[in-house]
Amino acid sequence: MKQRKIIFAIVTALLMLFCCIACNDDNKKKPIVHDDPNALIVLGKKSDMEKEYMQRIFRAYENTGKTLKIVEYEDKDFEEYAVRDFENGNIPDIFFHFHNADLNKFDIESNFYYLNDESWVSDLTDSAKAYCTDQNGKLLGLPFWESSVSGCYYNKTLLDEMGLEPAHSQIGFNNLCENIMEFSNEQNQLAPICWPANGCSWMLQFGLDPIFADDPETLDALNRNELTYSEIPEVKDMVQWIHDAAKKGWFGNNFLNTGWNEISKDLSTGKAVMAFIWDTWFYTDFKPGKYTIDDFALMPVFLGTEDNGTYEGGNLNMMMVPKNSEKRDAALDFLAFCATPSNYNMAFDGISTVNCFKGMTTNIQSQMVTDAKTSIADKERVSTASTKIIAYSADEMCKVLNEMFKGALSVEECIKQMDKDRIASAKKMGIENY
């Protein structure tokens, strides 16, 4: 009898544990309701809401006697759950989102309040303001985030040892890659460029940005479905350049298996000389090895579309205010609190970021960016492809690229498939003219 009681107790405990786990999992899928009816509901990705500078600004606001309720979803679930919340009327007071293609899922015009007339707008840097502005000049959100400069980060120590110089033109960059290949052999295999084809998808936008940032009419025609990638010569130039670079070995021998976790190792060991990436990555993900951050410098990205190269301005998380929020005025006051110099300087103290506000003084700017500031000022473009091309999907495009790398698609077929995928996505979203 005693043994039966013990078994019964164990089974009961296991059932209770299972129920708790099930309940906890279910709770992850539901908005968290705060006990204080006056609390501002803030919705964002879990990893985003837990950034140090976000925690600082949240604590500072609550120290004023007001309350926040942070609703956070796991990154992989965020888009699905957030869309469902809006559809079901569970709309937050402040919504965090990047200005990218996924934002179109939320019916921007119907759901969000435009912020052009807020008092803090004049304190935004030009690049931060441009990132958060739509094609009609409407300011969608307050850019309260770490900003970066994307470009070609190169191992200056290795180049010095090889007697090579950074490039200033597309031809110069092609020659640089060829010259680096001359130093690569079985004992010392060097990849001129770390191209992380396994799951990384941001590289294409660096080549596309100049096409569309410099020619808004082409962008408009593409978005009206009057033009396709296949009909834009510069897009073919880019894909052809990437195809040829891979064939020549400029991405190394194992780039199809190189992903996010391998970038740091490839650069810190000197296996790869260059990477198309951003400065804050060196402070958040780079692990020093034979080479440290001090061994790297910055030059423009060259991807066959801009002879003089290009840099991409930062992709920023925005605080957006739903227009139908019952606490809209309080939400706008919170944005003003965040945009106050003493508050944002407190939040970003010691954080590696390019300025989003003109009055930022406590953040750290990388020496790589500082040294290249003249070049950046001349060649930087606001992030355009990922923010303004309707139904743009970097992940889908890079999947198609990988099929080309494997020989399953020609350059022309690759671009046609990119067109097909984007148009299908636009139709699914119900975009006009598709």
Side-chain angles (χ1 to χ4, degrees):
M1 180 66 69
K2 183 177 181 181
Q3 186 177 17
R4 289 182 179 178
K5 289 182 177 180
I6 293 173
I7 294 172
F8 178 78
I10 292 172
V11 171
T12 300
L14 288 173
L15 286 171
M16 290 178 66
L17 177 61
F18 174 80
C19 290
C20 288
I21 292 173
C23 289
N24 287 337
D25 183 66
D26 188 55
N27 284 337
K28 290 179 183 178
K29 300 178 182 179
K30 295 179 180 178
I32 304 168
V33 180
H34 200 279
D35 293 336
D36 180 0
N38 295 315
L40 289 175
I41 305 298
V42 182
L43 175 61
K45 292 180 181 177
K46 186 175 189 295
S47 64
D48 291 348
M49 297 299 92
E50 295 177 359
K51 295 283 189 184
E52 176 60 27
Y53 45 88
M54 295 311 309
Q55 290 296 307
R56 290 175 183 174
I57 201 67
F58 292 157
R59 289 194 296 266
Y61 182 74
E62 293 205 318
N63 286 340
T64 68
K66 299 175 182 178
T67 52
L68 298 170
K69 185 57 187 181
I70 312 303
V71 180
E72 51 184 39
Y73 292 135
E74 295 291 343
D75 292 13
K76 65 182 177 62
D77 299 323
F78 178 74
E79 299 296 338
E80 177 187 350
Y81 292 170
V83 167
R84 182 203 59 199
D85 285 348
F86 273 80
E87 290 175 346
N88 293 338
N90 296 322
I91 297 176
D93 303 305
I94 297 166
F95 181 57
F96 269 80
H97 205 286
F98 286 83
H99 187 189
N100 56 28
D102 285 330
L103 187 58
N104 291 317
K105 299 175 182 177
F106 295 89
D107 192 355
I108 299 170
E109 186 174 356
S110 297
N111 280 323
F112 294 102
Y113 183 77
Y114 295 127
L115 302 167
N116 298 65
D117 296 329
E118 296 304 299
S119 60
W120 41 261
V121 174
S122 61
D123 192 31
L124 297 179
T125 61
D126 291 343
S127 58
K129 182 180 177 183
Y131 178 85
C132 298
T133 302
D134 69 12
Q135 294 183 67
N136 299 314
K138 304 292 181 62
L139 187 65
L140 303 177
L142 172 71
F144 198 88
W145 202 244
E146 61 196 57
S147 186
S148 58
V149 175
S150 295
C152 179
Y153 288 83
Y154 66 94
N155 190 322
K156 61 184 180 182
T157 303
L158 267 176
L159 288 194
D160 286 344
E161 291 173 357
M162 292 184 279
L164 301 175
E165 298 285 340
H168 302 284
S169 68
Q170 184 69 59
I171 292 175
F173 186 76
N174 295 348
N175 291 336
L176 175 61
C177 292
E178 290 286 3
N179 290 333
I180 291 172
M181 288 295 293
E182 293 181 6
F183 287 86
S184 181
N185 51 53
E186 291 185 4
Q187 288 73 37
N188 182 35
Q189 292 188 6
L190 283 173
I193 304 165
C194 177
W195 186 277
N198 184 18
C200 299
S201 60
W202 61 80
M203 297 83 72
L204 277 183
Q205 65 197 51
F206 302 155
L208 293 172
D209 279 350
I211 301 172
F212 300 105
D214 297 356
D215 188 358
E217 291 183 3
T218 295
L219 176 63
D220 289 343
L222 183 74
N223 283 338
R224 290 194 301 268
N225 202 23
E226 297 171 357
L227 191 66
T228 62
Y229 290 138
S230 299
E231 297 170 307
I232 302 174
E234 294 89 347
V235 174
K236 182 176 180 180
D237 291 343
M238 179 188 71
V239 178
Q240 186 70 58
W241 186 92
I242 292 170
H243 171 274
D244 294 346
K247 289 291 185 182
K248 294 173 183 176
W250 292 359
F251 301 157
N253 299 324
N254 196 40
F255 71 97
L256 286 174
N257 295 315
T258 298
W260 177 260
N261 294 328
E262 288 72 46
I263 303 172
S264 179
K265 183 178 179 180
D266 283 1
L267 292 179
S268 65
T269 60
K271 181 179 178 181
V273 181
M274 302 179 282
F276 301 153
I277 206 159
W278 48 93
D279 59 308
T280 56
W281 175 87
F282 281 90
Y283 295 88
T284 58
D285 293 271
F286 179 69
K287 294 178 175 59
K290 180 178 180 181
Y291 299 99
T292 71
I293 189 173
D294 294 331
D295 292 300
F296 288 85
L298 173 61
M299 64 176 160
V301 167
F302 296 94
L303 273 172
T305 62
E306 172 51 59
D307 287 340
N308 294 317
T310 186
Y311 302 95
E312 183 191 46
N315 290 273
L316 304 170
N317 221 342
M318 307 181 294
M319 295 184 185
M320 304 177 69
V321 176
K323 64 168 62 174
N324 296 320
S325 165
E326 294 180 357
K327 298 190 285 289
R328 190 176 76 187
D329 289 343
L332 293 174
D333 287 342
F334 175 72
L335 265 60
F337 178 88
C338 295
T340 299
S342 59
N343 293 332
Y344 62 64
N345 276 315
M346 173 277 300
F348 286 96
D349 186 17
I351 302 295
S352 174
T353 175
V354 175
N355 287 18
C356 289
F357 299 94
K358 294 174 183 175
M360 288 183 81
T361 58
T362 58
N363 54 304
I364 299 170
Q365 297 209 33
S366 75
Q367 192 62 45
M368 297 176 288
V369 169
T370 301
D371 290 343
K373 63 181 181 181
T374 301
S375 177
I376 294 169
D378 183 46
K379 299 171 183 176
E380 184 182 40
R381 291 166 173 86
V382 66
S383 180
T384 302
S386 65
T387 62
K388 293 184 169 62
I389 295 177
I390 288 175
Y392 179 85
S393 172
D395 289 340
E396 289 302 317
M397 292 180 79
C398 283
K399 286 178 184 177
V400 177
L401 265 189
N402 286 355
E403 291 302 304
M404 180 187 73
F405 290 141
K406 296 172 185 176
L409 297 173
S410 66
V411 169
E412 291 76 13
E413 290 168 337
C414 176
I415 302 171
K416 286 180 180 179
Q417 187 62 49
M418 290 176 179
D419 280 322
K420 183 178 179 180
D421 290 344
R422 190 184 73 84
I423 291 170
S425 295
K427 286 181 179 178
K428 187 175 180 180
M429 294 163 62
I431 303 296
E432 187 179 357
N433 296 326
Y434 286 87

